[in-house]
């Protein structure tokens, strides 16, 4: 099986050390091309650690420039246990667009805080974004410990400040690690200067990231793609997005909400007893009333949200601003429904993440909005962090995609 590559995002206030930590991590985990590695070793043997660092920074800069034409900057590295890819960082309009549209969804975040400066404005905004995107795997690196003479007292002060602030957002970091990215302390090797620190070094902390729950361990979600009439039978086709489905199983059809059970499961013309997440199948139900493209079959007990009013986080990409009363079409999995914004609760700058306006009248191109959408009829949604396929949507005007977004976990109805 192909090894899963964990997607990471590095966030933090400008100058707190994101690039340095990325460069240092690549270096210490031997993830640079072999010839680069040899070159850097030689330069730093001749000129010292600062030359090594300067070299790493230049290398990353080159990588960025080379990747400028593609959507995301992707840098790979390996630890003892896992493979990682660092996807783009905030500061680029593309970043939030990619995160919201699902082009690149990070599973874990590394928040870098300068030990000298503590929590600053971008630390707050980036943490807010992490929370919004439902990323629960968070590692805090308290950087530049060399500037504080590796003092445990100073570290604990910063640690308390960071944890206090993150807890307000209901974020709980997996680890808070004192490091020096510049000098390579507590990155892959324990630093002798910080013997008082008992937790894992940075690369080991990454290996504690809880990987995404497998889709087939989740409750059943089967969005209907189409209904085919073949030899007097109605075959309901679609892809199992989460959970599994079995013959004779009781299911509930949403949003119309009635119960029925599964008579047959077909895959590639064969009868099956069971189908799992990721499989495209046809099913025949014992009976059904209203069922159509966009209906969602679930198991009772762990229900999604069925609502005609929903709070979303939206990235707007059309030249024509989004305003209250705009007439749009929302597409979420196989569901398609007319909608329009009822309320624009927040208008946010997508690169600085600054709150531009509350209760706004419109959202301009490349801005982000926290919005209440009113749908023409109820549709089925899920928190993005739980089942992304039902937590992510696009908005269209005619044939043009004008926005992409995710369902916020707090909803106005359920
Ligand atoms: P970014 O804006 O968050 O990517 O920050 P950079 O990685 O560009 O670092 C900003 C500045 O902090 C640079 O001058 C780095 O050399 C310096 N820096 C980064 N890490 C450390 C560290 O561990 N100790 C010290 N003293 N300086 C550091």
């Amino acid at each position: 099986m192909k090894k899963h590559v964990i997607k990471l995002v590095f966030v933090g206030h400008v100058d707190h050390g994101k690039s340095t930590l990325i460069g240092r991590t690549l270096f210490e985990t031997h993830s640079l091309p072999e010839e680069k590695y040899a070159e850097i070793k030689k330069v730093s043997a001749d000129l010292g650690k600062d030359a090594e660092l300067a070299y790493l920074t230049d290398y990353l800069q080159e990588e960025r420039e080379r990747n400028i034409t593609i959507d995301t900057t992707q840098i790979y590295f390996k630890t003892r246990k896992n493979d990682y890819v660092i996807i783009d960082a905030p500061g680029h309009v593309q970043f939030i667009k990619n995160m919201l549209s699902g082009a690149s969804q990070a599973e874990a975040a590394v928040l870098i805080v300068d030990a000298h400066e503590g929590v600053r404005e971008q630390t707050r905004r980036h943490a807010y974004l992490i929370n919004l995107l439902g990323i629960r795997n968070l590692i805090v690196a308290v950087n530049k410990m060399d500037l504080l003479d590796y003092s445990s007292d100073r570290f604990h002060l910063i640690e308390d400040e960071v944890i206090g602030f993150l807890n307000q957002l209901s974020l709980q970091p997996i680890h808070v690690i004192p490091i020096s990215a510049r000098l390579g302390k507590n990155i892959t090797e324990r630093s002798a200067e910080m013997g008082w620190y008992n937790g894992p070094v940075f690369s080991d902390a990454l290996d504690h990231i809880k990987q995404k729950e497998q889709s087939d361990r989740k409750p059943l979600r089967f969005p209907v793609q189409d209904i085919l009439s073949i030899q007097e039978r109605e075959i309901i086709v679609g892809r199992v997005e989460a959970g599994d489905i079995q013959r004779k199983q009781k299911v509930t059809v949403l949003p119309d909400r009635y119960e029925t059970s599964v008579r047959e499961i077909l895959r590639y013309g064969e009868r099956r007893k069971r189908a799992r997440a990721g499989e495209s199948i046809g099913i025949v139900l014992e009976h059904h009333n209203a069922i159509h493209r966009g209906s969602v079959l679930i198991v009772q007990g762990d229900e999604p949200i069925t609502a005609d009013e929903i709070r979303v986080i939206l990235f707007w990409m059309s030249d024509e601003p989004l305003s209250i009363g705009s007439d749009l079409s929302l597409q979420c999995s196989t569901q398609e429904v007319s909608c329009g914004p009822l309320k624009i609760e927040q208008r946010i700058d997508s690169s600085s993440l600054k709150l531009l306006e509350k209760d706004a009248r419109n959202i301009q191109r490349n801005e982000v909005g926290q919005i209440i959408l009113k749908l023409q009829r109820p549709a089925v949604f899920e928190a993005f962090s739980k089942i992304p396929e039902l937590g992510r949507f696009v908005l269209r005007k005619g044939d043009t995609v004008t926005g992409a977004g995710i369902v916020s976990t707090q909803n106005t109805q359920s």
Side-chain angles (χ1 to χ4, degrees), residues 279-349:
E279 290 186 318
S280 291
I281 53 168
I283 58 173
V284 180
L285 294 173
E286 281 303 337
H287 72 89
H288 59 80
N289 313 335
I291 195 157
H292 38 79
R293 179 178 164 84
S295 296
V296 182
L297 273 60
I298 64 154
V299 273
Q300 259 190 342
D302 192 341
E303 294 216 357
I305 304 151
T306 303
D308 65 358
E309 225 178 272
I310 188 133
R311 178 176 284 122
V312 299
I313 307 296
L314 176 76
F315 183 86
W316 188 246
M317 38 187 130
S318 164
D319 283 334
E320 195 182 321
L322 171 76
S323 37
I324 292 178
S326 291
D327 194 6
L328 298 156
S329 162
L330 173 143
Q331 192 181 332
C332 170
S333 181
T334 60
Q335 310 176 89
E336 205 159 341
V337 49
S338 301
C339 73
L342 198 64
K343 196 163 188 227
I344 302 177
E345 295 180 324
Q346 295 191 6
R347 185 161 77 90
I348 299 161
D349 179 309

Side-chain angles (χ1 to χ4, degrees), residues 10-24 50 53-54 57 60 64 112 114 122 142-148 150 179-185 187:
F10 280 58
V11 301
H13 195 75
V14 62
D15 281 346
H16 281 197
K18 292 178 291 297
S19 320
T20 311
L21 179 57
I22 292 172
R24 177 57 64 191
D50 276 347
L53 186 79
T57 316
L60 282 177
R64 287 232 165 88
I112 296 142
D114 184 320
Q122 283 166 330
V142 174
N143 189 29
K144 309 196 189 181
M145 284 301 296
D146 51 298
L147 296 179
L148 301 185
Y150 305 105
I179 64 163
S180 168
R182 185 169 184 164
L183 302 175
K185 306 284 177 189
I187 306 298

Side-chain angles (χ1 to χ4, degrees), residues 148-167:
L148 301 185
D149 293 328
Y150 305 105
S151 150
S152 86
D153 289 350
R154 301 281 296 273
F155 169 75
H156 290 305
L157 281 177
I158 293 282
E159 183 184 36
D160 288 348
E161 181 193 1
V162 176
I163 289 181
F165 151 70
L166 291 175
N167 286 349

Side-chain angles (χ1 to χ4, degrees), residues 227-274:
I227 296 156
L228 310 174
S229 289
I230 300 174
Q231 295 165 351
E232 319 257 300
R233 284 192 312 181
E234 292 209 311
I235 300 178
I236 295 153
V237 295
R239 198 177 106 109
V240 184
E241 293 295 1
D244 63 9
I245 188 163
Q246 295 179 37
R247 209 169 64 197
K248 299 193 176 148
Q249 182 179 359
K250 277 205 173 124
V251 289
T252 302
V253 182
L254 295 177
D256 301 275
R257 184 171 293 283
Y258 59 88
E259 263 196 41
T260 179
S261 55
V262 179
R263 185 188 296 167
E264 275 184 72
I265 300 176
L266 307 163
R267 184 165 157 84
Y268 299 129
E270 277 178 25
R271 290 214 170 105
R272 293 269 294 266
K273 274 196 176 149
R274 185 175 181 197

